Amino acid sequence: MKKVAIIMGSDSDLPVLEKAIQTLKDFDVPYEVHVFSAHRTPVEAKEFSENARKNGFGVIIAAAGMAAHLAGAIAANTTLPVIGIPIKSTTLDGIDALLSTVQMPSGIPVSTVAINGAVNAALLSIEMMAIYDESLEKKLEDFRKANYEKVLSKNKEVENKYNV
């Protein structure tokens, strides 16, 4: 199975990314976590993305706040799918990062999830890899079924408590 790379622009992004890490663990998907900045360590970010495919990665998750150029910088140097997570900052509540991540020029796509959307980034990477992995597809189906049943159970609790 291919690995998922989780790249963050700063270790201050780690509390958000721990949700992606846990989601990948829950699905038994191998991963690596790195801190590379598009602005402060551009050489390392470029080298990582240029070599990601030959190093066994299938998808890259890139998370950054503020100017949030990391996902685009990574995508510019690989043909692997890149999922950007805009990280909420104190300045503009993550809107700056969202716009920087989602507004990629034609020819260099970056899939973008919600601000601080680490779980969905992990799930999207799992869905991409499940295209060719039936056991991973089954885990996704089981996960969706469990979520379905959980919502119906919560609905029943609310109905029983509030409906007369």
Side-chain angles (χ1 to χ4, degrees):
M1 178 184 299
K2 299 279 187 184
K3 299 179 285 187
V4 174
I6 299 175
I7 312 297
M8 64 195 90
S10 168
D11 66 343
S12 65
D13 302 331
L14 192 54
V16 171
L17 292 174
E18 285 176 340
K19 295 174 184 171
I21 293 165
Q22 186 58 54
T23 301
L24 293 170
K25 283 181 183 177
D26 292 345
F27 280 84
D28 298 316
V29 172
Y31 62 89
E32 285 185 17
V33 182
H34 300 277
V35 178
F36 295 128
S37 168
H39 303 109
R40 293 171 296 222
T41 59
V43 172
E44 289 78 4
K46 183 176 190 268
E47 287 175 358
F48 181 87
S49 52
E50 285 177 336
N51 295 305
R53 185 180 297 276
K54 77 176 180 183
N55 288 331
F57 293 97
V59 180
I60 301 172
I61 296 172
M66 301 174 80
H69 294 132
L70 183 60
I74 297 289
N77 291 292
T78 186
T79 56
L80 290 175
V82 175
I83 303 167
I85 304 174
I87 300 294
K88 182 177 180 177
S89 65
T90 56
T91 308
L92 296 172
D93 286 334
I95 298 298
D96 49 347
L98 173 65
L99 295 175
S100 293
T101 306
V102 77
Q103 287 296 106
M104 288 300 298
S106 294
I108 307 294
V110 169
S111 175
T112 307
V113 295
I115 296 168
N116 289 358
V119 171
N120 274 352
L123 289 171
L124 183 56
S125 69
I126 294 165
E127 288 176 347
M128 289 174 178
M129 295 197 312
I131 292 170
Y132 302 104
D133 185 325
E134 290 180 10
S135 67
L136 206 48
E137 180 184 10
K138 174 73 169 110
K139 288 178 184 180
L140 279 167
E141 289 170 357
D142 292 345
F143 173 80
R144 294 257 180 117
K145 184 177 180 185
N147 277 341
Y148 171 85
E149 291 169 356
K150 183 177 176 182
V151 170
L152 291 180
S153 175
K154 296 289 184 183
N155 175 59
K156 190 57 116 178
E157 289 175 24
V158 169
E159 286 177 347
N160 288 340
K161 184 173 181 177
Y162 294 102
N163 295 345
V164 284

